[in-house]
Amino acid sequence: MNTRVTRLALPLGAAAVTALVGTSLSAPAQAAGDTSTDPLATTGIAAYNVAAYWFAQESANLINASPYETQVTAKHISTGGPSADSKPGTVPAIGDEKKSTSKSKNVNLPKTTGKVFFLGSDGKPHWCTATSVQSTYHNLVATAGHCVYDTVTNKATFDNWIFVPGYYQGKTPWGIYVGKQAFTHYDFDVYEDGDRDYAFVTVYNGLKAPHDGIEKDNWETIGTWKEVDKATYDKYDPKVRTDQDVLDLDKDGKKNESSGGHYYIFKFTDAGRLGDNVGGQGLAYNQKLGKNVFVFGYPSGSHPDGNHAFSGKTLKWSYGKTFAAKAPSVKAEELVGVKSSFTGEGSSGSAWLLSYKNSRRLGYLNGVTSGVADTNNNQRIDTSVSPYFDGELYGVYKAARNVWSGSIA
C-alpha cells in the first residue's frame, strides 16, 4: 500500500551519538494553543475491546498487519534549515536521572522501541515504529504524527491503536499497550504541516493473555474468566465474552443445565506500566545540527530499484550525522536529515537517539522518522528525515507527559 505518498513517513536509522550541546532545562518558547489532543480509547471497556481485536484468532491481525508506507523527496540544503527557538534542553531517560559513565563497544538494541498497530483508512491493520519515552506515569509513546492521525480521510485518529514493545512475529513479550490519548502539534492536526509530523500517545497498563494469541474455541481450557452482569457483558466485544455454554460444564464436559444466567468476560493479566517494563528514553530539543544519532526502527520493503533490503520483522539500526533538509511537497521546510538506507515501509516513527548509552540502552529522543528519500536519483533510499525537535515540540510533550492512564485489566 502507498496511501501516504503526500505525507512524511520515513524509516529509522541508528547512529552513535556525541554529547549534547547543552543540558539547560529552561522553559522553551511556546505559542499558546500549540497542542492538539484527541481520545483513542476513552474507557477501560473500549480499551479491552481494542486488545481483543489484536489478540483474537491467535493474534492473526498482529501477524498479518502490513507496514504503513510513505516516501517523500527530501532535498538536502547547505544553508538555512531549522533553528532553535530557545536554549537547548534535555529530559533524562527513565532510570537515567542520575548520570552514568559506563561504556560499551557493542550496539545493544533498546527495549523501548517497538511497533504501533492500528486500522488504516483502508480498514486493514498496519504498523509503524515507535518508542517509549520518559513521563510522570511511565506511560508515554512517541512516533510520527501520521502514524496516529489519519491524514488520508481526515477522520482524526486511527482506530484500535496499540503499542507493542519488542514485537516479533506475533509475540508480545511485555504485553500490548492500548492508546488512551494522542497529542500532536496544532499545525499538524489542522494543516498537516510536515514540520510538525510527530505525536505523543499515553497508553494504559499493558495486557497479557495466558498464551500468545486467543483461539476462542479453546478458551474454556486456557484462560481465567470474570463473571459480570448482563448489562456489562453486552458492552464487551464478542471476542472476549461468553455465557454459560462455555464455562458451566460438568466434569464430563457436558453442559450443566441447572446453571443459568451467568455471563463472563475473558480476564487479561495486567502487565504493568510501559516504562516500568521496558524503560523510557529521555528527550532532547533545540539541539544543534551536525550531531551523530542512532536511528532504531523496523524498516520493511524494497528500494525503488526493487532490492528487498528489509523484512520489518526485527529491529534495525543505522548511524549518521544530522543535517538540514526540506520537503516542500509536504509543507516541510525545516526538517533534519540523516544518511540511512532504511526503506519507507514500516520505519515511520523510528527513534533518533542522541548520546545513546549502549550499556544502559538509553539516550535522548531527538527525532522520529517522518519520511525517506533517494536524494541522488540512483533508485536506492539513502536518507531519512525527521521534524526538528524545538521548544514547540517540548510544549506538546509537556502536555502529554503528566496525563495518567492506569489499568484496564
Side-chain angles (χ1 to χ4, degrees):
M1 150 176 156
N2 192 12
T3 59
R4 289 188 176 268
V5 206
T6 58
R7 282 247 48 84
L8 285 181
L10 316 180
L12 299 189
V17 215
T18 58
L20 299 178
V21 176
T23 57
S24 169
L25 289 176
S26 58
Q30 181 189 3
D34 281 343
T35 301
S36 289
T37 181
D38 287 282
L40 294 172
T42 56
T43 67
I45 291 177
Y48 217 86
N49 289 338
V50 169
Y53 173 83
W54 297 104
F55 271 130
Q57 298 177 339
E58 300 292 342
S59 299
N61 289 318
L62 283 176
I63 296 169
N64 296 325
S66 59
Y68 207 50
E69 178 185 4
T70 65
Q71 182 174 328
V72 302
T73 301
K75 181 181 179 182
H76 179 206
I77 54 177
S78 57
T79 60
S83 59
D85 55 10
S86 65
K87 293 181 180 180
T90 63
V91 176
I94 294 176
D96 203 30
E97 289 84 358
K98 294 182 179 180
K99 295 294 182 181
S100 172
T101 58
S102 59
K103 296 181 180 180
S104 172
K105 294 181 180 180
N106 299 319
V107 178
N108 298 318
L109 299 176
K111 294 192 298 181
T112 54
T113 302
K115 291 183 177 182
V116 292
F117 293 85
F118 51 86
L119 288 180
S121 55
D122 58 359
K124 297 179 181 179
H126 297 284
W127 53 265
C128 289
T129 298
T131 195
S132 171
V133 293
Q134 172 72 284
S135 67
T136 301
Y137 298 104
H138 293 190
N139 64 343
L140 195 60
V141 174
T143 188
H146 67 261
C147 294
V148 179
Y149 288 85
D150 184 357
T151 58
V152 174
T153 65
N154 292 317
K155 189 185 65 66
T157 57
F158 291 117
D159 292 329
N160 291 9
W161 199 97
I162 63 168
F163 175 58
V164 184
Y167 174 83
Y168 179 71
Q169 293 186 342
K171 307 297 182 182
T172 58
W174 290 287
I176 70 171
Y177 299 78
V178 179
K180 178 181 182 181
Q181 193 168 355
F183 297 79
T184 192
H185 195 284
Y186 177 85
D187 288 351
F188 182 79
D189 192 16
V190 177
Y191 303 113
E192 300 182 10
D193 182 352
D195 286 322
R196 304 296 179 189
D197 190 358
Y198 48 75
F200 296 95
V201 177
T202 58
V203 294
Y204 293 97
N205 284 14
L207 293 177
K208 285 187 175 181
H211 59 104
D212 294 321
I214 298 170
E215 179 55 60
K216 188 171 181 179
D217 290 342
N218 298 325
W219 278 14
E220 66 271 20
T221 61
I222 54 86
T224 57
W225 295 83
K226 177 181 179 181
E227 186 171 0
V228 296
D229 58 46
K230 182 65 164 58
T232 301
Y233 172 88
D234 288 339
K235 296 177 183 178
Y236 282 87
D237 190 285
K239 298 183 184 69
V240 289
R241 71 187 192 191
T242 191
D243 58 19
Q244 68 275 11
D245 287 340
V246 172
L247 293 182
D248 294 336
L249 306 176
D250 62 23
K251 62 182 180 180
D252 297 322
K254 297 180 180 180
K255 182 179 177 182
N256 184 349
E257 298 294 344
S258 64
S259 64
H262 297 285
Y263 299 92
Y264 304 88
I265 60 168
F266 187 77
K267 187 172 176 55
F268 291 117
T269 301
D270 189 318
R273 301 189 304 181
L274 173 64
D276 296 341
N277 291 327
V278 302
Q281 299 298 333
L283 183 77
Y285 53 93
N286 282 329
Q287 301 297 316
K288 290 183 179 179
L289 299 183
K291 297 295 180 179
N292 290 321
V293 295
F294 279 102
V295 183
F296 294 99
Y298 288 87
S300 179
S302 302
H303 288 281
D305 65 4
N307 178 271
H308 196 85
F310 301 101
S311 69
K313 294 181 178 180
T314 56
L315 185 62
K316 300 294 183 181
W317 65 270
S318 65
Y319 173 84
K321 185 174 293 186
T322 59
F323 53 82
K326 62 181 180 179
S329 64
V330 289
K331 310 172 189 176
E333 300 290 338
E334 298 181 343
L335 298 176
V336 179
V338 65
K339 289 298 180 182
S340 174
S341 64
F342 281 15
T343 47
E345 296 181 31
S347 56
S348 294
S350 294
W352 298 30
L353 300 182
L354 282 170
S355 299
Y356 183 70
K357 302 175 184 67
N358 287 312
S359 60
R360 297 177 59 78
R361 305 182 189 223
L362 295 173
Y364 297 90
L365 184 70
N366 193 227
V368 289
T369 298
S370 57
V372 299
D374 168 16
T375 59
N376 58 11
N377 298 316
N378 69 348
Q379 301 302 300
R380 304 282 289 203
I381 300 299
D382 55 44
T383 299
S384 292
V385 296
S386 165
Y388 178 68
F389 278 23
D390 59 8
E392 293 190 28
L393 174 136
Y394 178 77
V396 177
Y397 163 79
K398 189 176 180 180
R401 72 178 181 182
N402 294 322
V403 177
W404 176 85
S405 49
S407 173
I408 54 177

